[in-house]
Amino acid sequence: MIKIAHLAKRFAVENPKKLSEQEKKDPRLKGRYFHSVKDVSFSCNQGQVLGLLGPNGAGKTTTLRMLSTALKPDHGEIAIQGVNVVEKPLVARQKIGFLSGSTGLYGRLTGRENITYFGQLHGMQADAIEQRIAYLADLLELHSFLDRRCESFSTGMKQRTAIARAVVHSPEVVILDEPTTGLDIMAAQTVHTFIRQLKEQGTPVIFSTHHLDEVSELCDQVTVIDAGVTRFNNSLSAFKALSPGSMHQAFLNTLQQGA
């Protein structure tokens, strides 16, 4: 289970005078600090998929980076399978599979070498890494390019390899930041299948997306963040009930309520 309560994170602004007019009008800008996340709370139980929604700049990626231990929150609590992420980030990190917005693959290494390297970082033995790669290669359809250098990969190849690398250690929770952005229909469908497989295994999954059809197809829970604040946090059916027949209008309704 993943539980987040009242997260907050601010960043210092080096030179406020260089901000654009739009940035200066953002209510989260307070003096020399930009409060990217002000008050975000949600939870995701075993076997659930939670879709994290919000306009660009809402604070979704900052929230996920705090959840993954990449950033330390200024306030709030994060618990993963009962482990306090803020107090024990190294312990929590072993339980997390995190795919950031950038794949970050080492271009001169093959896909297999990238995945193997991260397995080694997690303390896995060679045989266990080999077996895990074979399983993920089947699930994510990696076989045709797994032993090529990543610098030659298409966007879809990079994304699928990055997902395999993120979950090579069989994490207890999986966090995906816009995993299907830039993918064609077939590559996106492979990612969807993978998310369903995780759900069947009882693994909690949180993923951010701008595609509401993905939310409708995959999610049990929906959380909407706007201007660094949770505007909606409930079941998919409750989200759809905000505007029956139109997921887009349901999303807009949550933003208007917080305006």
Side-chain angles (χ1 to χ4, degrees):
M1 179 179 179
I2 305 168
K3 186 175 181 180
I4 291 176
H6 306 296
L7 278 192
K9 182 65 178 178
R10 69 178 187 175
F11 298 95
V13 179
E14 293 184 5
N15 191 343
K17 294 182 179 179
K18 291 186 177 181
L19 296 175
S20 68
E21 288 303 315
Q22 182 176 356
E23 290 171 329
K24 291 178 181 178
K25 293 178 182 178
D26 194 311
R28 288 176 291 173
L29 181 64
K30 304 291 184 182
R32 298 188 66 86
Y33 290 94
F34 182 77
H35 296 255
S36 178
V37 174
K38 297 172 65 178
D39 187 4
V40 168
S41 301
F42 58 81
S43 62
C44 184
N45 296 323
Q46 298 300 116
Q48 285 190 334
V49 178
L50 182 147
L52 187 61
L53 303 176
N56 289 334
K60 301 187 301 298
T61 294
T62 300
T63 296
L64 295 184
R65 291 185 68 195
M66 286 190 283
L67 180 53
S68 73
T69 75
L71 286 175
K72 185 177 181 179
D74 297 325
H75 302 286
E77 299 178 356
I78 308 172
I80 293 180
Q81 307 297 51
V83 174
N84 188 311
V85 173
V86 179
E87 294 180 356
K88 299 179 179 179
L90 295 180
V91 175
R93 203 168 294 162
Q94 292 294 322
K95 300 178 179 294
I96 300 168
F98 177 57
L99 176 73
S100 66
S102 172
T103 59
L105 297 173
Y106 298 106
R108 294 183 64 82
L109 298 182
T110 66
R112 187 185 302 277
E113 289 168 341
N114 268 280
I115 300 168
T116 298
Y117 176 56
F118 271 70
Q120 293 169 341
L121 291 178
H122 282 285
M124 297 175 66
Q125 299 298 314
D127 288 348
I129 293 174
E130 185 177 340
Q131 292 174 10
R132 184 66 173 165
I133 289 177
Y135 168 77
L136 291 169
D138 287 339
L139 189 62
L140 292 166
E141 300 178 5
L142 308 177
H143 288 292
S144 63
F145 55 86
L146 188 59
D147 293 301
R148 289 166 46 189
R149 283 187 176 183
C150 292
E151 62 190 6
S152 67
F153 282 7
S154 67
T155 299
M157 293 174 183
K158 288 179 180 178
Q159 193 75 325
R160 282 182 280 166
T161 302
I163 291 173
R165 184 186 63 178
V167 300
V168 65
H169 59 302
S170 302
E172 296 179 36
V173 302
V174 174
I175 304 163
L176 306 171
D177 191 1
E178 299 188 9
T180 59
T181 297
L183 302 189
D184 61 28
I185 293 175
M186 295 306 295
Q189 193 58 48
T190 299
V191 175
H192 293 172
T193 300
F194 174 67
I195 292 173
R196 292 191 191 94
Q197 182 76 17
L198 290 171
K199 180 177 178 177
E200 290 175 4
Q201 294 170 354
T203 304
V205 178
I206 294 175
F207 77 97
S208 65
T209 181
H210 290 292
H211 303 296
L212 293 176
D213 55 334
E214 291 184 336
V215 175
S216 181
E217 183 179 344
L218 298 170
C219 293
D220 306 287
Q221 296 287 117
V222 177
T223 299
V224 179
I225 297 175
D226 184 34
V229 176
T230 300
R231 302 298 184 190
F232 179 88
N233 180 43
N234 210 323
S235 66
L236 176 63
S237 58
F239 181 71
K240 289 182 174 180
L242 294 175
S243 181
S246 175
M247 291 277 285
H248 286 83
Q249 190 59 50
F251 173 68
L252 293 174
N253 286 347
T254 65
L255 302 185
Q256 292 167 358
Q257 289 171 7

